[in-house]
Every structure is written in structure tokens, then in C-alpha cells.
Amino acid sequence: DMYDIYLGIDENLPIDVHLSMFIPLMMYHTGPDQRRRWLDDALNLKIIGAYAQTELAHGSNVRGIETEAVYDALSQTFELHSPTLTSLKWWPGGLGHTATHAVVYANLIIGKRNYGMHAFMVQLRDLQTHHIMPGIECGDIGPKLGYNSMDNGYARFTHVTLQREDMLSGFAQVAPDGTYTKQAGSE
């Protein structure tokens, strides 16, 4: 029923990206454990997702993205970091006020090797209070001509710790010891 009402509104809404991009990512770019962890909550709007690829200085130039996710095998965690002002995620729909989570694209770094762009699930806001999580700066980018119903936003990550299982594992994985594998043809 909710989807029928949504279609009947015929207006861009902050959940557009959640429905058109976030849910398909949960369906097709995750491993089985991740689908069990996130998909039902996304489908039932218990979590609302954004797609955070675009950066302030790079637009959608994926090769120019500066955000980093550095793996630490000792703690089996990633440190997600926006190292420069130009690496702010900029323009994602729903990120301004609505999204509780985001799929964030960052350069995967293990040791001194950059494995390129990979997707990470990041909780942006507390599910009870909706307050922004520690190490994350997030907000709305302001009015847009003819598109004000969408809360396009920005996000900056300052040494945010993510669990190893938070890297979307549908096409590539990092083992506890830092060994990187990917499915043939996943490029």
C-alpha cells in the first residue's frame, strides 16, 4: 500500500534514492548474510538509505574519488575517512535529513595497495534519536530550483570505524587477515 501511495503522489521525495538505488544495492551487491542483515529493514522502511558516490570536486568521476576505507587486519575493521574538503560526498538524495544509512563509495586500501572503488554500508544516524553518528558530519545542501522536495545532502567522514562485514560483499571480499578476493568478471 505504501508503494501505491508513493506512486500516487507523483513528486520527488526523499525516499526516491532509497527505492530506486539503495534497495537494489541491498538485493544484488551484497552477500547472503548482508541481505539477511539489511534487506528486510530497507524494504520495510526501518532503515532509509542513500547512495553516496558523488564528491564535491569530482562529481561522478569515480576514478577521482578521494574518500578512503583503510583496512586494519588486527582489529578487522575499516577506517572510513574523507581526507580533504573536496572529498565530501555531495548531492546524494535523502542524505540531508532522511537517510539513516548510506552506501558509501571509497577507495579500498589494504596495506599500501589501493584496490579501487568499493561500496560500504555506513550508519549515518541513530535509529532511535536520528542524531548523526560520531565521526560523521551530515546535512542538507539547501534549496534547489524545482527540486526542493528532495533533501539532497552532504557527508564527511572523520576516521569512522566500520566492521569488516560492512563492505558490500556481492562481488569482492576482504578476509580477516586482509586477503582480497573478487569474483571473476566483477569489473
Side-chain angles (χ1 to χ4, degrees):
D1 290 344
M2 187 275 307
Y3 290 103
D4 291 339
I5 292 169
Y6 172 77
L7 291 172
I9 292 171
D10 194 31
E11 178 71 40
N12 292 312
L13 296 176
I15 63 170
D16 281 359
V17 171
H18 174 78
L19 298 173
S20 66
M21 297 176 81
F22 186 81
I23 288 175
L25 281 167
M26 295 301 101
M27 294 171 73
Y28 304 115
H29 292 259
T30 56
D33 290 340
Q34 292 174 326
R35 280 189 292 282
R36 282 190 289 277
R37 185 174 164 199
W38 297 313
L39 183 56
D40 279 346
D41 285 348
L43 289 169
N44 291 302
L45 302 176
K46 292 180 181 177
I47 64 174
I48 304 293
Y51 179 88
Q53 173 186 306
T54 305
E55 290 186 353
L56 182 60
H58 306 84
S60 294
N61 172 14
V62 176
R63 293 191 187 270
I65 289 177
E66 297 176 70
T67 303
E68 299 177 341
V70 179
Y71 186 68
D72 175 21
L74 189 60
S75 64
Q76 296 184 28
T77 60
F78 296 98
E79 180 181 85
L80 183 67
H81 188 60
S82 305
T84 64
L85 177 64
T86 57
S87 66
L88 263 76
K89 297 301 181 181
W90 189 263
W91 196 261
L95 190 64
H97 301 287
T98 307
T100 60
H101 291 70
V103 172
V104 176
Y105 283 82
N107 285 293
L108 169 61
I109 299 171
I110 303 172
K112 295 195 183 293
R113 183 170 175 194
N114 185 338
Y115 287 86
M117 217 41 45
H118 286 73
F120 297 84
M121 174 69 100
V122 180
Q123 184 173 346
L124 303 170
R125 293 179 171 90
D126 182 278
L127 295 178
Q128 302 304 314
T129 66
H130 211 63
H131 292 150
I132 297 170
M133 301 298 283
I136 299 173
E137 178 185 341
C138 194
D140 195 299
I141 63 171
K144 288 118 3 233
L145 185 61
Y147 205 59
N148 283 322
S149 58
M150 178 62 69
D151 66 329
N152 294 92
Y154 71 91
R156 176 186 279 181
F157 306 98
T158 304
H159 305 290
V160 175
T161 300
L162 302 176
Q163 299 305 306
R164 185 176 59 84
E165 297 82 8
D166 292 339
M167 184 179 106
L168 301 192
S169 64
F171 299 104
Q173 301 82 35
V174 175
D177 68 357
T179 302
Y180 175 80
T181 57
K182 66 180 177 180
Q183 280 69 20
S186 63
E187 292 82 7

